């Protein structure tokens, strides 16, 4: 596992833990607590796994967007350097 993957996965897990903590029924005085505790646990486990997946994919897409932005900036810098060279060559 590469360092980038490990970092993305650990950030996704931490964000999912925060999401579960925010949705825990304790904060709402167990107002929405399900009748069946086993179904409630299954609900949180499935929700946690889905949250990890969604956060992981989101972080991967954000990284791709930053890579594309960096490529666009590099191309713009190359085009600007080529334009300034052609102006210098044409002025002589």
């Amino acid at each position: 596992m590469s360092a980038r993957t490990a970092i993305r996965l650990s950030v996704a897990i931490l964000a999912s833990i925060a999401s579960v903590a925010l949705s825990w029924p304790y904060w709402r005085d167990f107002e929405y607590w399900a009748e069946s505790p086993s179904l409630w646990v299954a609900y949180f486990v499935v929700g946690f796994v889905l949250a990890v997946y969604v956060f992981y994919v989101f972080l991967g897409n954000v990284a791709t967007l930053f890579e594309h932005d960096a490529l666009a900036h590099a191309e713009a810098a190359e085009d600007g350097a080529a334009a300034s060279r052609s102006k210098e060559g044409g002025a002589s």
Side-chain angles (χ1 to χ4, degrees), residues 85-92:
R85 283 193 299 252
S86 66
K87 286 181 184 178
E88 290 174 3
S92 298

Side-chain angles (χ1 to χ4, degrees), residues 65-75:
L65 288 173
F66 279 118
E67 288 171 3
H68 284 286
D69 189 49
L71 288 173
H73 283 292
E75 287 177 4

Side-chain angles (χ1 to χ4, degrees), residues 18-58:
S19 298
V20 168
L22 288 172
S23 65
W24 195 254
Y26 175 75
W27 305 116
R28 294 184 298 263
D29 296 327
F30 295 100
E31 189 174 325
Y32 299 110
W33 193 255
E35 302 246 345
S36 171
S38 60
L39 284 178
W40 194 252
V41 170
Y43 169 78
F44 273 105
V45 168
V46 170
F48 179 78
V49 170
L50 287 174
V52 169
Y53 174 74
V54 167
F55 278 121
Y56 183 78
V57 170
F58 173 74

